[in-house]
Amino acid sequence: MECCRRATPGTPLLFLAFLLLSSRTARSEEDRDGLWDAWGPWSECSRTCGGGASYSLRRCLSSKSCEGRNIRYRTCSNVDCPPESGDFRAQQCSAHNDVKHHGQFYEWLPVSNDPDNPCSLKCQAKGTALVVELAPKVLDGTRCYTESLDMCISGLCQIVGCDHQLGSTVKEDNCGVCNGDGSTCRLVRGQYKSQLSATKLDDTVVAIPYGSRHIRLVLKGPDHLYLETKTLQGAKGENSLSSTGTFLVDNSSVDFQKFPDKEILRMTGPLTADFIVKIRNSGPTDSTVQFIFYQPIIHRWRETDFFPCSATCGGGYQLTSAECYDLRSNRVVADQYCHYYPENIKPKPKLQECNLDPCPASDGYKQIMPYDLYHPLPRWEATPWTACSSSCGGGIQSRAVSCVEEDIQGHVTSVEEWKCMYTPKMPIVQPCNIFDCPKWLAQEWSPCTVTCGQGLRYRVVLCIDHRGMHTGGCSQKTKPHIKEECIIPTPCYKPKEKLPVEAKLPWYKQAQELEEGAAVSEEPSFIPEAWSACTVTCGVGTQVRVVRCQVLLSFSQSVADLPVDECEGPRPASQRACYAGPCNGDTAEFNPDHTDELFGGLPVFDELYDWEYEGFTKCSESCGGGVQEAVVSCLNKQTREPADENLCVTSRRPPQLLKSCNLDPCPARNRVASAHTA
């Protein structure tokens, strides 16, 4: 009190300074150093659902400018909007429907995914091509792009991770789990070959379960796809997919494209029902369907709580167990459902002591739990099935079954079979591998490798199992041949009246392969890697490279390797010959790049006689790599008859042309024989 009575007129100033210091106690070191006031409260969210933005302000306490920003943002209302609320950008466009634009009312529809300015409100007048920017900025919380969580705040597109935090780069895995490791789903990929007939007009391609994501199917052939659905409540539906477009099937978006020779079906998911993709017969030839999707693991092991203690006092024990849980129906199911997924690992039981308090001394009685809880009844126990007697076409397998009993310590012993007769004995023999054996399936022939004369054509021959999937196990003796000769009736020689000045010499043919870099796309395609170095430093050798069939998974921006038969078109060569220059004074092979240097520009030729290559000499080696030389002849260009070499211009005689041949390695005995000969 004495201090109060002695207060001076300067006391109010000291009190204000004290308040100012107190107000700054909540500030961080960074704020005090920057002379910023404390952050203010967060504003109301810009949206009530669907993800919005809220801001907080602070003021600068310095007479000079403060470093940093005076506003900060955070996301809010990160809950899904009800289906009837519609698109947020569409709501902002429709708000201008009752405002005249150039003297006329329009019904405005949103223009989304503008790459230049995704945060401006661009709308299109319904039924017209008129697109207008109705506002320079969309409302805070509007998605920058339809397939992204990134949101517009104050007219700028801000990155938002799947955790709904500003600036976060966390993404969903292929299973739809934010920052997940992909362990909650599995990649399913396969191929179906139609086997329809006049008596079998449709068939099931694949069943895609509820919750699956990133589905893609491609049908190649005359048949048509259609969908059957079944919700978890048992409601069934069907969609014929008759035209190209995007459809809503049981609340799942389906993108369907129809082409004359194929159909493509895409569903981002997650599916809200079980989808059964079927095929309907529409043509005389068979069709092929390739499919890929991520299937959720809907059955998982779940550890139970501890069972009741084995004793009420004096010390006992209690155990946990594991049960198979259906994530869709939220109920326990038979263990076999969890065994279906190899990713599932059944947790081991846990054991702990319990009820350790001593029993009352009055009776010295220790109550034991009922026999059948911790001393199970005798049960049938089987050994694993033996291997099937046949890998396909039907076989049998067997096992041994015995009656066993387990004591309180967990020891299992065999007992008389009559003790297990309260339950049926398990079978000891069963059929197995009753499906058809794999068989060869030949695809259509490729076009002929030449446009005139005699060439070759090729086809893909696959070993297909009973599910229509590419596999092994077919007999090589019955494999159809994969190449055959073909003849194009068009004559290979066509007289040229005049060649343009910039043309190359008539004997020059481009032999170098143009290796353009192939990019992975959403369509399966062959992607070759770079050629290896030549296997020799001089003479004729080989180069190899790896050629893969790959596809770009757009949803995860990752590349997946596919079976070779899923890629269309000819497969690039994985081996070729290479010539590394002459060895020990041999004649150098002709390099087409030096043609212009040797002969300069090409004049117009009207002479009757000219040089031409006519085949090659016999290979210098029968194996291990040899060389052939092209035969040069002077021909009458009209009659194609050989003529005296003096009638052809010597300066235009083509250079020596060599090519490699018989590149296959020599058998061991041939190499030995060659050594003796040498």
Side-chain angles (χ1 to χ4, degrees):
M1 296 298 294
E2 185 68 17
C3 66
C4 295
R5 284 196 295 269
R6 293 181 181 178
T8 64
T11 300
L13 292 177
L14 292 172
F15 182 68
L16 287 175
F18 173 77
L19 289 179
L20 182 59
L21 275 172
S22 300
S23 68
R24 297 184 183 179
T25 56
R27 301 176 208 150
S28 65
E29 289 294 327
E30 179 184 354
D31 291 339
R32 285 201 295 270
D33 294 342
L35 296 178
W36 285 103
D37 195 5
W39 285 104
W42 289 101
S43 69
E44 290 187 6
C45 195
S46 61
R47 299 184 64 185
T48 58
C49 63
S54 176
Y55 65 88
S56 172
L57 299 173
R58 63 178 177 175
R59 61 176 178 169
C60 180
L61 300 178
S62 172
S63 58
K64 301 178 181 180
S65 61
C66 298
E67 294 183 2
R69 296 189 304 167
N70 68 335
I71 187 170
R72 61 179 179 174
Y73 295 94
R74 71 178 182 183
T75 59
C76 49
S77 300
N78 293 311
V79 294
D80 293 336
C81 294
E84 63 272 9
S85 62
D87 178 67
F88 192 35
R89 191 181 289 264
Q91 294 173 12
Q92 298 172 57
C93 284
S94 62
H96 294 263
N97 289 350
D98 56 356
V99 179
K100 286 187 177 181
H101 178 75
H102 295 310
Q104 187 174 350
F105 290 106
Y106 293 98
E107 181 180 349
W108 297 104
L109 302 176
V111 177
S112 303
N113 304 320
D114 182 2
D116 298 324
N117 191 0
C119 292
S120 66
L121 184 63
K122 289 186 178 180
C123 308
Q124 181 175 1
K126 186 177 181 180
T128 72
L130 176 64
V131 176
V132 179
E133 184 181 284
L134 297 179
K137 300 178 183 178
V138 291
L139 297 179
D140 286 352
T142 305
R143 298 280 175 85
C144 305
Y145 307 99
T146 55
E147 299 298 327
S148 171
L149 292 175
D150 298 347
M151 66 171 58
C152 295
I153 298 178
S154 191
L156 297 176
C157 185
Q158 303 287 342
I159 295 176
V160 178
C162 62
D163 55 358
H164 297 287
Q165 298 301 312
L166 283 177
S168 171
T169 57
V170 176
K171 298 182 180 297
E172 289 185 351
D173 63 7
N174 291 320
C175 310
V177 178
C178 185
N179 204 23
D181 58 1
S183 62
T184 60
C185 65
R186 60 203 311 232
L187 179 63
V188 178
R189 183 170 60 203
Q191 177 174 291
Y192 166 87
K193 179 71 174 180
S194 68
Q195 297 177 352
L196 306 178
S197 61
T199 58
K200 186 180 181 184
L201 299 179
D202 57 18
D203 197 7
T204 298
V205 175
V206 63
I208 308 176
Y210 171 95
S212 296
R213 293 172 177 265
H214 311 306
I215 300 99
R216 183 177 184 271
L217 294 96
V218 179
L219 179 145
K220 300 175 183 178
D223 299 326
H224 295 301
L225 296 172
Y226 72 97
L227 299 175
E228 289 183 357
T229 58
K230 183 179 180 181
T231 66
L232 295 183
Q233 293 74 33
K236 296 183 179 180
E238 184 174 331
N239 192 297
S240 60
L241 300 175
S242 56
S243 60
T244 295
T246 301
F247 310 97
L248 199 64
V249 180
D250 276 320
N251 291 323
S252 293
S253 179
V254 178
D255 179 57
F256 179 69
Q257 293 176 281
K258 189 178 181 67
F259 300 96
D261 58 341
K262 68 177 180 180
E263 296 179 354
I264 300 177
L265 177 67
R266 291 186 177 93
M267 295 181 285
T268 303
L271 298 185
T272 55
D274 291 332
F275 276 63
I276 297 91
V277 182
K278 294 196 172 185
I279 192 171
R280 184 167 289 153
N281 188 8
S282 300
T285 59
D286 292 336
S287 297
T288 301
V289 181
Q290 297 165 352
F291 54 85
I292 183 172
F293 60 90
Y294 284 92
Q295 172 188 342
I297 299 176
I298 60 175
H299 297 108
R300 282 193 173 274
W301 293 110
R302 184 175 69 172
E303 191 175 53
T304 66
D305 295 331
F306 280 97
F307 288 109
C309 192
S310 61
T312 58
C313 62
Y317 68 90
Q318 55 188 164
L319 290 165
T320 63
S321 183
E323 56 192 10
C324 187
Y325 191 69
D326 189 318
L327 301 179
R328 298 195 305 181
S329 61
N330 295 324
R331 63 187 179 90
V332 178
V333 295
D335 287 1
Q336 66 190 45
Y337 290 100
C338 286
H339 291 309
Y340 174 73
Y341 301 99
E343 299 88 348
N344 284 345
I345 300 176
K346 187 175 183 179
K348 295 182 179 180
K350 293 179 181 178
L351 175 68
Q352 71 177 17
E353 294 179 313
C354 52
N355 293 344
L356 300 178
D357 296 334
C359 294
S362 58
D363 54 12
Y365 174 67
K366 181 178 179 181
Q367 181 183 357
I368 304 298
M369 298 300 289
Y371 173 88
D372 59 353
L373 181 61
Y374 287 99
H375 298 263
L377 293 172
R379 65 179 185 273
W380 293 112
E381 192 168 86
T383 60
W385 289 105
T386 61
C388 192
S389 60
S390 176
S391 60
C392 60
I396 59 171
Q397 55 186 168
S398 60
R399 64 180 176 181
V401 177
S402 59
C403 182
V404 298
E405 191 173 43
E406 184 176 352
D407 61 20
I408 194 169
Q409 284 80 29
H411 299 142
V412 178
T413 56
S414 296
V415 295
E416 299 86 349
E417 287 197 354
W418 63 265
K419 292 186 177 182
C420 292
M421 288 305 177
Y422 65 93
T423 56
K425 186 177 181 179
M426 295 182 287
I428 60 174
V429 177
Q430 71 174 8
C432 54
N433 296 344
I434 58 175
F435 48 84
D436 293 336
C437 292
K439 57 185 177 182
W440 294 110
L441 178 67
Q443 306 289 339
E444 294 184 1
W445 287 105
S446 71
C448 200
T449 56
V450 297
T451 57
C452 65
Q454 181 173 314
L456 294 174
R457 63 177 184 173
Y458 298 85
R459 64 180 175 182
V460 175
V461 177
L462 303 175
C463 184
I464 302 298
D465 63 12
H466 63 287
R467 298 166 297 179
M469 300 182 67
H470 186 204
T471 184
C474 296
S475 172
Q476 293 296 324
K477 295 180 180 180
T478 60
K479 183 177 181 179
H481 59 281
I482 62 173
K483 71 175 182 179
E484 68 177 14
E485 293 183 350
C486 52
I487 297 178
I488 304 298
T490 305
C492 288
Y493 170 73
K494 183 177 181 181
K496 297 181 180 179
E497 298 179 359
K498 180 177 289 188
L499 295 173
V501 173
E502 66 273 12
K504 304 268 183 169
L505 294 173
W507 41 262
Y508 170 63
K509 295 183 180 179
Q510 187 71 27
Q512 183 179 3
E513 181 181 359
L514 297 177
E515 299 182 28
E516 297 179 355
V520 185
S521 66
E522 291 188 20
E523 292 296 328
S525 55
F526 286 113
I527 305 298
E529 295 184 359
W531 288 105
S532 69
C534 194
T535 56
V536 297
T537 57
C538 69
V540 179
T542 57
Q543 288 177 288
V544 295
R545 64 179 176 183
V546 177
V547 180
R548 291 187 173 91
C549 177
Q550 295 181 324
V551 66
L552 177 65
L553 306 178
S554 60
F555 42 85
S556 62
Q557 289 299 303
S558 60
V559 177
D561 291 332
L562 303 177
V564 173
D565 53 276
E566 291 191 28
C567 284
E568 294 183 337
R571 182 179 183 180
S574 58
Q575 180 175 330
R576 71 179 183 184
C578 54
Y579 185 75
C583 295
N584 301 325
D586 292 343
T587 304
E589 185 174 354
F590 167 59
N591 184 352
D593 294 336
H594 300 327
T595 301
D596 291 338
E597 300 174 11
L598 295 172
F599 295 95
L602 182 68
V604 178
F605 293 127
D606 292 320
E607 287 83 355
L608 181 61
Y609 302 96
D610 204 355
W611 302 99
E612 286 195 17
Y613 289 118
E614 284 193 323
F616 284 84
T617 62
K618 184 178 179 181
C619 190
S620 62
E621 300 290 342
S622 60
C623 60
V627 177
Q628 290 177 285
E629 181 180 356
V631 179
V632 180
S633 299
C634 181
L635 297 181
N636 185 311
K637 293 195 293 185
Q638 293 181 355
T639 63
R640 312 301 301 162
E641 294 292 331
D644 191 283
E645 292 189 355
N646 295 326
L647 297 176
C648 289
V649 180
T650 305
S651 61
R652 284 208 299 270
R653 183 185 180 97
Q656 183 184 31
L657 178 60
L658 305 177
K659 77 170 183 178
S660 54
C661 55
N662 293 343
L663 298 176
D664 293 332
C666 295
R669 60 178 182 275
N670 285 0
R671 289 200 295 267
V672 174
S674 299
H676 287 302
T677 303

